Amino acid sequence: MRVLGIETSCDETGVAVYDTGQGLLAHALHSQVALHGAYGGVVPELASRDHVRHLVPLIRRVVGEAGLGLADLDGIAYTAGPGLAGALLVGASVATALARALRVPVVGVHHLEGHLLSPLLGEPKPSFPFVALLVSGGHSQLFEVAGVGRYRLLGDTLDDAAGEAFDKTAKLLGLPYPGGPALAELAESGRAGAYSLPRPMLDSGDLDMSFSGLKTAVATLVRRVGSALDAQARADIAREFESAVVEVLVAKALAALHVTGLKSLVVAGGVGANRQLRVRLIESTSAARARVYFPSIAFCTDNGAMIALAGALRMDAEGAAGSSFGVRPRWDLSELRAPP
Ligand code: KG4
Ligand code: ZN
């Protein structure tokens, strides 16, 4: 079954074709970073309009690159939520219209289900069950994943998500949007141990997390350093901030493996692109005789491939019958059901 996947939940237009027999056939992404950069963050109305401009040309390109015509598609999947309402509606409208014209089924996919399943796009593929560390701009969560649609929440952030903390801290350090990758790059030239920040909830005894206090600690530190905040001091603070977040995420992920007795850890979401996090997770899972799986960097952040994949797995399992149109800007992953 060949499924076209459409992702428009935020500031990237992502399109891909996934074949349940052959895997990913083609994918492309249009990033809106340059568009929103001047405003220091995503402007929802501009995001929607940009999706309108780029989505249809991107679909033409990706279907062509897959060596297919539109008539070769067996189904269409789009991100139905969570995300920006206007941006989601662009993907939902185009997906539904195209599906009706082609007389193929269409399915609305949960964005986080796409992230959770994204490591299945690579090789080697993790097999179910596994623990998933989902670290994106809006979520920092640990799940036990027993199969498609079978997600048990093990731990959650009590306030800011890890990516959100990266973005807000980057702003405090005067870095441009998007802050997370910029802060990670700055941290590379920082010295370890030059400053000391807390490791929130490291010893809380559960799998929950909290990152907003860490961001506040950086704000206090920046004020204290005052006029001595030169390029090196900023890099040192970035390094310490990154170390604090990474240490907490690694400790919680390992604790989740321990609690569930599972030996496979899957990392998904934009913060999964962080190099320090990857290095530390590889070290600590191997010490615990477990294994960690990452999506390739391109599939950590938002993309169409994970939506095509999740849609294809659902259509395959549920029988491809859907034709509904709708978006859910707020949508809890725990509401999802496993296919029959
Ligand atoms: O999954 P994603 O692309 O979008 C959401 O669904 O939220 O994640 C975006 C988040 C942003 O907060 C961004 O700053 C963060 O991932 N991010 C990173 C890195 N690359 C992206 N954070 C730390 N280090 C990175 N290299
Ligand atoms: Zn995402």
Side-chain angles (χ1 to χ4, degrees):
M1 163 168 230
R2 285 191 205 114
V3 175
L4 177 75
I6 295 175
E7 155 63 35
T8 63
S9 68
C10 189
D11 57 349
E12 332 257 10
T13 317
V15 174
V17 179
Y18 184 85
D19 183 309
T20 44
Q22 296 170 269
L24 190 65
L25 299 184
H27 69 98
L29 189 79
H30 172 76
S31 164
Q32 301 180 355
V33 162
L35 177 70
H36 301 293
Y39 304 94
V42 179
V43 183
E45 182 58 25
L46 293 183
S48 310
R49 292 179 191 203
D50 203 60
H51 288 307
V52 170
R53 264 193 298 275
H54 288 99
L55 183 53
V56 171
L58 214 54
I59 291 172
R60 285 215 175 88
R61 193 179 117 198
V62 168
V63 171
E65 282 173 8
L68 305 172
L70 288 173
D72 299 315
L73 297 172
D74 302 309
I76 301 184
Y78 66 93
T79 304
L84 302 171
L88 291 167
L89 280 168
V90 178
S93 312
V94 171
T96 313
L98 191 55
R100 294 219 172 138
L102 298 173
R103 298 179 196 281
V104 296
V106 58
V107 63
V109 170
H110 195 294
H111 181 81
L112 299 182
E113 177 165 65
H115 276 304
L116 278 187
L117 300 176
S118 62
L120 299 175
L121 289 164
E123 288 297 342
K125 292 186 204 326
S127 44
F128 299 117
F130 52 75
V131 167
L133 173 66
L134 178 65
V135 271
S136 68
H139 296 82
S140 294
Q141 294 175 320
L142 280 156
F143 287 97
E144 181 178 344
V145 179
V148 175
R150 299 172 64 199
Y151 313 125
R152 184 165 73 95
L153 184 66
L154 301 169
D156 202 348
T157 178
L158 303 182
D159 40 57
D160 291 356
E164 189 179 356
F166 262 94
D167 295 337
K168 288 178 175 171
T169 302
K171 249 188 193 164
L172 290 172
L173 294 175
L175 297 171
Y177 156 90
L183 190 145
E185 196 185 323
L186 181 63
E188 297 280 326
S189 56
R191 295 166 301 182
Y195 294 99
S196 168
L197 289 168
R199 270 60 177 159
M201 296 186 68
L202 193 60
D203 300 313
S204 63
D206 57 22
L207 299 174
D208 289 334
M209 297 160 257
S210 159
F211 295 108
S212 84
L214 193 52
K215 165 205 67 195
T216 310
V218 172
T220 309
L221 181 57
V222 164
R223 267 200 305 279
R224 206 182 75 215
V225 175
S227 58
L229 190 73
D230 57 11
Q232 186 61 53
R234 285 166 60 237
D236 292 345
I237 294 173
R239 169 90 185 234
E240 173 64 5
F241 169 82
E242 183 181 59
S243 301
V245 174
V246 167
E247 201 174 316
V248 172
L249 292 177
V250 169
K252 298 287 176 175
L254 264 94
L257 287 175
H258 184 73
V259 166
T260 55
L262 296 175
K263 289 289 177 195
S264 301
L265 174 70
V266 153
V267 182
V271 183
N274 186 272
R275 206 180 65 82
Q276 278 304 325
L277 179 64
R278 288 180 169 239
V279 169
R280 292 286 314 284
L281 280 175
I282 290 168
E283 285 167 4
S284 49
T285 46
S286 99
R289 296 180 186 281
R291 191 152 178 199
V292 61
Y293 298 84
F294 300 99
S296 65
I297 298 281
F299 300 143
C300 271
T301 47
D302 292 347
N303 63 84
M306 65 184 194
I307 303 304
L309 167 79
L313 294 181
R314 284 222 167 242
M315 284 186 184
D316 213 25
E318 291 171 355
S323 64
S324 67
F325 169 86
V327 299
R328 298 271 308 265
R330 286 174 182 275
W331 188 6
D332 201 306
L333 192 67
S334 63
E335 291 176 39
L336 291 192
R337 291 289 162 260

